[in-house]
Amino acid sequence: MATVAVGDLHGNLSALEDLLDKVLPELSPSDELVFLGDYIDRGPDSRGCIDRILALRDEAAFTVVTLLGNHEDWMLKSRENPARHSWILAMQGFSTIQCYSIDAAMRLSSEIETAGPRLITEEVPLPYHLFFDSLPAAHLAFFEGLKPFHRTRDAVCVHGGLDPHAGRVESQDVDCLIWGTDDFVEKYRGEDAILYGHWNNAVLDWKRWPSPRIGENRTFGIDTISHGVLTAIRLPDGKVFQSRRFRKR
């Protein structure tokens, strides 16, 4: 039994397909494949990434686990409160909206332009329902079913980390798990190995090729997608899998 964690995708379907070609042949039915969140935004094909994971989950003999990233969390909060605009303004959410509905993207863009500064000062609501109505039911269920963390025999898997001063992951606030804390990477000294993404803190070689950031405190940071490379790591043996480099298109 092994745990294989996959880092942030951010709409990079080409990197996901390439990585899975390398990972899937090495998975057995007793293994767990854990996606650490941030499937959407920035890249060109968030929808394709979700379709691929859903198909994998349906077909795989092994267990597929999907975690909540901060991008998915802020997207869902826009659905709950259409006057909350952190996702669309700060997370490059338009790339996600466009791959589901060009019409929704155009309407939201127009509404933002019309509102101008009032969008913030008066908390003007936006018609986010146009985007959410365009989501296939299976995709909306996917987003709503994402977990804040997952514990395996080998490690705790989480998107952003945790609060190193707040005890076991089960007792921690969800915001800490999806965002981490500023001192998580340096100060964590818990008993569990931690597999995390989010931080874009890859170790770069002289050719600027990204490798996981592996700490002496048994933290394993695998968010490398900003460099066009998707990374996975397997525990307990520590084998690293990586895609070829695929930039945004």
Side-chain angles (χ1 to χ4, degrees):
M1 179 183 292
T3 302
V4 180
V6 180
D8 304 30
L9 304 181
H10 285 304
N12 198 325
L13 179 60
S14 297
L16 174 60
E17 294 283 15
D18 192 59
L19 181 73
L20 290 177
D21 285 345
K22 299 171 182 177
V23 169
L24 296 185
E26 299 206 23
L27 288 170
S28 68
S30 62
D31 294 336
E32 294 185 82
L33 181 65
V34 185
F35 290 89
L36 298 182
D38 278 8
Y39 315 95
I40 63 171
D41 301 342
R42 298 179 180 164
D45 202 352
S46 298
R47 180 173 186 160
C49 288
I50 305 304
D51 278 333
R52 184 66 182 95
I53 294 170
L54 288 173
L56 181 64
R57 192 168 65 183
D58 289 342
E59 299 163 1
F62 49 84
T63 300
V64 177
V65 178
T66 51
L67 301 188
L68 176 68
N70 56 295
H71 283 250
E72 292 80 40
D73 181 59
W74 275 17
M75 179 190 74
L76 291 170
K77 285 177 177 173
S78 295
R79 183 176 183 234
E80 296 169 5
N81 177 7
R84 188 185 193 281
H85 308 308
S86 300
W87 172 53
I88 203 168
L89 296 181
M91 296 290 197
Q92 296 175 268
F94 268 108
S95 63
T96 300
I97 297 168
Q98 288 170 344
C99 71
Y100 283 96
S101 171
I102 296 295
D103 288 343
M106 292 177 62
R107 173 74 181 279
L108 282 162
S109 178
S110 176
E111 294 282 347
I112 288 172
E113 184 175 357
T114 299
R118 294 189 304 111
L119 195 68
I120 305 302
T121 59
E122 300 178 22
E123 297 185 344
V124 175
L126 290 175
Y128 288 111
H129 68 276
L130 298 173
F131 163 68
F132 288 103
D133 288 348
S134 74
L135 292 180
H139 286 221
L140 183 57
F142 171 85
F143 290 126
E144 292 180 331
L146 298 174
K147 300 171 56 176
F149 72 93
H150 181 66
R151 179 183 290 278
T152 74
R153 185 182 68 173
D154 305 298
V156 167
C157 303
V158 67
H159 179 66
L162 43 74
D163 182 343
H165 313 291
R168 288 170 62 85
V169 65
E170 288 83 0
S171 65
Q172 298 215 8
D173 184 84
V174 171
D175 280 348
C176 289
L177 305 182
I178 63 175
W179 290 94
T181 60
D182 290 342
D183 58 352
F184 156 66
V185 176
E186 292 77 20
K187 296 294 181 65
Y188 175 75
R189 295 295 184 272
E191 296 180 358
D192 297 309
I194 307 292
L195 295 168
Y196 70 96
H198 179 64
W199 284 97
N200 189 25
N201 60 354
V203 177
L204 303 180
D205 68 13
W206 66 279
K207 293 183 178 179
R208 299 196 63 76
W209 183 267
S211 296
R213 181 166 294 276
I214 301 175
E216 294 180 0
N217 53 355
R218 296 194 304 153
T219 57
F220 300 83
I222 57 171
D223 177 15
T224 60
I225 200 63
S226 69
H227 303 281
V229 177
L230 182 60
T231 296
I233 193 167
R234 182 174 67 197
L235 294 183
D237 68 347
K239 180 173 181 177
V240 174
F241 304 84
Q242 291 189 299
S243 73
R244 290 171 289 157
R245 195 189 299 269
F246 294 89
R247 296 295 190 183
K248 295 180 187 177
R249 290 186 227 164

